Amino acid sequence: MIRVLVVDDDFMVARIHRGFVERVDGFEVVGTAQTGDEALALVGSLQPDLVLLDLYLPDAFGLDVVTRLRAAGQTCDVLVITAAKEADAVRGAVRQGVVGYLLKPFTFADLEQRLRTYAVERARDLGDELTQEQIDAAFGAPPVGRIAVALLPKGLSTETAEVVEAALRGASDTLSATECAEAVGISRVSARRYLEHFVASGRADVTLRYGSTGRPERRYRSR
């Protein structure tokens, strides 16, 4: 289970976020905090894997809390959930290495996609010793939430593209469109559109698997 701490100054909002998280398989909320100081104390005592962090806290700006977490040696991941749309806040979050930035208000599906993407990324096993190709792939993989909208064809969403690509990178073998659709929770036709886009943009390779009858099956692998 991925252990989550929810941090929001509004206890009703925190309760809603907690309910959202607990609806996603593989995640559990281990605590909630309403201030920066409380968040720091709970991270120290509960050792969560992921912190859902509001930026507007009564005693501190959320990114300052991240700085204090790192100074204290805490390595938990942080997903920012905020109404802050300012470019400086977004740039600061990127510099702090947060795993995502979700604007309020949002739906359960919005948060679920990001949590599932995070779970896939977290599950990637890089091993103890890497080849140069694996190192290049690790540094070249886009952070969660960073696929540019401009690179997607009309009709494809950034959020779904992130989840599809994460499923592709997390697969131990090649994936078919049907397998990807089942893993992500979208239609096979939609999954194939995203997969073919990744092939066209150089983010994935495709091979053909021939059976005894019918058309060959297209199999996809992250590049």
Side-chain angles (χ1 to χ4, degrees):
M1 296 290 285
I2 295 174
R3 295 161 52 82
V4 180
L5 175 68
V6 176
V7 183
D8 197 290
D9 67 321
D10 187 322
F11 77 95
M12 287 300 296
V13 171
R15 181 181 297 178
I16 292 171
H17 293 175
R18 179 176 192 141
F20 281 176
V21 172
E22 292 179 339
R23 289 170 59 186
V24 182
D25 291 341
F27 288 82
E28 64 173 345
V29 176
V30 295
T32 59
Q34 293 181 255
T35 68
D37 285 342
E38 188 178 3
L40 289 162
L42 288 179
V43 168
S45 61
L46 299 175
Q47 293 296 301
D49 303 304
L50 177 66
V51 177
L52 302 190
L53 180 65
D54 186 17
L55 293 188
Y56 296 134
L57 300 174
D59 60 340
F61 188 57
L63 295 182
D64 294 332
V65 174
V66 179
T67 300
R68 292 168 66 187
L69 285 171
R70 301 304 180 232
Q74 301 293 345
T75 60
C76 55
D77 292 316
V78 176
L79 170 59
V80 169
I81 295 181
T82 182
K85 300 180 181 180
E86 296 82 6
D88 285 345
V90 177
R91 282 193 291 265
V94 172
R95 286 194 296 269
Q96 292 279 20
V98 305
V99 299
Y101 196 105
L102 181 58
L103 289 175
K104 298 177 179 178
F106 56 87
T107 65
F108 165 68
D110 293 328
L111 180 59
E112 180 187 27
Q113 284 188 329
R114 284 158 177 81
L115 292 179
R116 293 195 183 281
T117 300
Y118 170 76
V120 171
E121 289 293 311
R122 179 180 171 84
R124 291 177 66 198
D125 183 11
L126 293 178
D128 296 325
E129 294 187 3
L130 308 180
T131 65
Q132 183 64 56
E133 182 179 6
Q134 290 172 316
I135 294 171
D136 291 341
F139 277 92
V144 175
R146 301 279 303 278
I147 296 178
V149 176
L151 298 179
L152 294 174
K154 185 177 181 180
L156 302 188
S157 75
T158 303
E159 292 81 5
T160 304
E162 291 166 3
V163 178
V164 170
E165 188 172 39
L168 193 61
R169 289 202 303 269
S172 59
D173 196 0
T174 58
L175 280 181
S176 68
T178 299
E179 292 165 345
C180 182
E182 292 174 351
V184 175
I186 59 177
S187 71
R188 185 190 64 81
V189 173
S190 293
R192 180 162 180 170
R193 288 192 64 198
Y194 285 97
L195 292 168
E196 290 293 337
H197 166 67
F198 292 141
V199 171
S201 60
R203 305 175 80 91
D205 295 316
V206 63
T207 56
L208 299 180
R209 177 180 294 177
Y210 291 88
S212 56
T213 60
R215 293 182 178 180
E217 181 183 48
R218 295 176 71 81
R219 308 285 304 185
Y220 303 87
R221 184 190 299 276
S222 180
R223 179 177 293 181

